[in-house]
Amino acid sequence: MAGRAATSSAKWAREFLLKRVSSNPLGGAIRNCSSSSSTPKVPHFSKKGRILTGATIGLAIAGGAYVSTADEATFCGWLFSATKVVNPLFALLDAEFAHKLAVTAASRGWVPREKRPDPQILGLEVWGRKFSNPIGLAAGFDKNAEATEGLLGLGFGSVEVGSVTPVPQEGNPKPRIFRLREDGAIINRCGFNSEGIVVVAKRLGAQHGKRMLAETSGTSSSPSDEAKPGGKSGPGILGVNLGKNKTSEDAAADYVQGVHNLSQYADYLVINVSSPNTAGLRMLQGRKQLKDLVKKVQAARDEMQWGDDGPPPLLVKIAPDLSRGELEDIAAVALALKLDGLIISNTTVSRPDPVSNNPVATETGGLSGKPLFNLSTNMLREMYTLTRGKIPLIGCGGVSSGEDAYKKIRAGATLVQLYTGFAYGGPALIPQIKEELVSCLERDGFKSIQEAIGADHR
């Protein structure tokens, strides 16, 4: 086993080096050699490029040596810990470019793969889907479904791609992502930059076909295999977040188009009506507008033919800047239409302390990260009360530790998502959160995640 891992590590290092020289991923850091020259020139790396490359190569070499004396689980833990060295180097890069580089790394398998099974205490079943753990990656990281396999392989219980718009669009002008590192926050005004439904459907279809082929060519399932968590994309649950085009005059038609083209690849669907970066979008959260929209999307989903698993659950993602009355309206619609879930919440247009004192806070856009935690968790707690615990809620906003995830769960979240915490903490944060969450559950005497959901209300 150790020998196979060492071989894999060496192969990865060779592939990475070839890519660094040939594909110029750092945007001009490498000056291409002339093909007509008889003597190839040594490629020149920028200082940032040399640091990032050197650190990565060093880790690959060290990993290859270390794995020869370590079992697979130990080596897996080492790989995740080693990313703590590389991840801070992304701060040297432009925020949006660093994001693209991270997605590329995950899509090409240049990230650790979690081989250790999740503790049984973290497993739960929601909507008839088995989650190995409640920690998910929120929409916005993998907007175009480029890296679902790699991201699920990091150990997330679920990954949500999107938001996906019907027609490709560039989004808002750059720069549009701003770090507030000292506050553990990010402001973005991307505006649903998307490659569009056709491209995303093609990618998800290929991944789905690959999974089906693997299952068909594999050995027959045993009862224990059937009990394993997972969904349409493999060992984790895949959510697809749907958005509308900026210039669209019929929002419902955009979401319906998303359902018709992408729902067959999704373990759950999300209607995003809460991004602050698309003009007029948040108006769809009004009682009448939301009711009409959800009815049309539900009808589009239900008119399609489904197998034994039935149609994918339909959720709505809401903003953290809503009044008590607006929350009551959303809760009423969710209960009346038997919505499958709510995601609470999206980014905020407010600038809570201490962010308000940061010069970057004047940038227009949605704020995510640690400063959003209290606002989104209080809203989560309120919505759990309004829906009487009858609707699964996904807690999103400011999660960067197992204790944060645990507080969301106690407040009423069935599942938890993060994004900004992952952007700053990197892959090492995922096993850390899960380990801390287990400690929180055991500390308070809970034997499962299910027992802890909404504990603050009892």
Side-chain angles (χ1 to χ4, degrees):
M1 184 179 294
R4 288 198 303 270
T7 302
S8 176
S9 178
K11 181 180 178 183
W12 174 88
R14 288 195 301 270
E15 291 177 351
F16 179 79
L17 285 169
L18 288 172
K19 285 292 182 183
R20 291 288 289 125
V21 173
S22 63
S23 63
N24 189 13
L26 290 179
I30 303 175
R31 298 179 179 87
N32 292 325
C33 304
S34 171
S35 59
S36 61
S37 175
S38 59
T39 305
K41 298 179 182 179
V42 177
H44 298 282
F45 291 81
S46 69
K47 184 176 180 181
K48 295 177 182 178
R50 290 195 301 271
I51 293 174
L52 188 58
T53 304
T56 307
I57 295 171
L59 289 174
I61 294 172
Y66 178 71
V67 73
S68 62
T69 59
D71 59 59
E72 189 175 54
T74 303
F75 180 61
C76 183
W78 180 88
L79 279 178
F80 275 90
S81 296
T83 62
K84 294 179 182 179
V85 177
V86 176
N87 200 64
L89 301 177
F90 280 78
L92 302 173
L93 306 172
D94 168 76
E96 186 157 356
F97 178 73
H99 176 205
K100 289 181 178 179
L101 187 61
V103 173
T104 298
S107 70
R108 299 185 180 184
W110 297 345
V111 292
R113 189 167 186 85
E114 184 59 84
K115 299 291 186 180
R116 300 161 294 183
D118 285 325
Q120 191 173 356
I121 193 173
L122 295 182
L124 73 165
E125 186 172 328
V126 191
W127 311 305
R129 277 82 172 152
K130 288 182 169 61
F131 290 73
S132 64
N133 71 76
I135 308 302
L137 180 61
F141 187 86
D142 188 8
K143 289 177 176 289
N144 298 300
E146 299 173 76
T148 56
E149 186 176 351
L151 293 170
L152 285 169
L154 286 170
F156 284 109
S158 61
V159 167
E160 189 176 310
V161 300
S163 296
V164 187
T165 59
V167 179
Q169 61 179 30
E170 291 293 327
N172 294 322
K174 300 176 183 179
R176 53 194 181 186
I177 303 177
F178 307 91
R179 298 185 181 105
L180 295 83
R181 180 168 291 277
E182 57 271 36
D183 297 309
I186 289 174
I187 293 174
N188 93 82
R189 52 170 179 263
C190 290
F192 284 172
N193 50 311
S194 172
E195 292 182 12
I197 282 175
V198 173
V199 171
V200 173
K202 184 177 180 180
R203 287 196 184 113
L204 292 179
Q207 293 162 17
H208 185 66
K210 181 181 177 182
R211 169 99 192 279
M212 293 299 101
L213 180 63
E215 290 182 350
T216 303
S217 60
T219 57
S220 59
S221 299
S222 65
S224 60
D225 290 331
E226 293 173 2
K228 289 182 179 179
K232 295 179 180 178
S233 289
I237 301 297
L238 178 70
V240 177
N241 187 299
L242 305 174
K244 67 174 285 291
N245 281 113
K246 183 177 181 179
T247 58
S248 174
E249 297 181 359
D250 188 344
D254 279 15
Y255 292 109
V256 166
Q257 191 174 346
V259 169
H260 285 160
N261 288 273
L262 300 174
S263 58
Q264 62 266 43
Y265 309 121
D267 293 307
Y268 70 89
L269 293 168
V270 181
I271 303 173
N272 187 352
V273 290
S274 52
S275 169
N277 303 313
T278 297
L281 185 69
R282 288 191 167 187
M283 293 176 61
L284 296 173
Q285 296 175 115
R287 185 167 188 154
K288 183 182 184 304
Q289 295 93 327
L290 184 62
K291 186 176 182 179
D292 291 344
L293 175 62
V294 171
K295 277 185 173 181
K296 291 177 181 178
V297 176
Q298 283 178 330
R301 178 199 61 177
D302 295 343
E303 71 184 11
M304 298 174 69
Q305 293 185 345
W306 300 102
D308 294 338
D309 292 339
L314 183 66
L315 290 74
V316 171
K317 187 168 186 175
I318 64 174
D321 308 307
L322 300 168
S323 66
R324 171 73 183 193
E326 289 170 324
L327 287 179
E328 291 174 350
D329 286 344
I330 291 172
V333 170
L335 289 169
L337 298 183
K338 297 181 180 180
L339 199 62
D340 296 299
L342 294 168
I343 300 180
I344 305 168
S345 66
N346 212 316
T347 58
T348 179
V349 294
S350 68
R351 299 292 184 262
D353 291 332
V355 170
S356 58
N357 299 319
N358 192 313
V360 183
T362 58
E363 293 288 349
T364 302
L367 174 74
S368 62
K370 290 181 179 180
L372 179 58
F373 181 80
N374 289 334
L375 180 63
S376 59
T377 305
N378 289 337
M379 175 175 286
L380 171 69
R381 184 175 289 107
E382 210 166 351
M383 186 58 78
Y384 184 85
T385 299
L386 290 171
T387 56
R388 304 187 292 279
K390 293 183 177 181
I391 297 175
L393 305 177
I394 298 181
C396 182
V399 174
S400 57
S401 69
E403 188 70 40
D404 291 340
Y406 183 57
K407 287 178 180 178
K408 295 274 190 189
I409 291 166
R410 289 188 63 103
T414 300
L415 302 167
V416 176
Q417 290 181 339
L418 65 153
Y419 177 173
T420 302
F422 176 59
Y424 282 125
L429 184 64
I430 306 164
Q432 176 186 322
I433 286 179
K434 291 190 286 188
E435 183 179 348
E436 291 171 355
L437 180 55
V438 169
S439 297
C440 290
L441 292 167
E442 293 176 342
R443 178 192 68 203
D444 291 349
F446 294 114
K447 297 180 180 179
S448 69
I449 286 287
Q450 200 68 44
E451 289 182 5
I453 297 171
D456 289 347
H457 301 267
R458 297 195 287 269

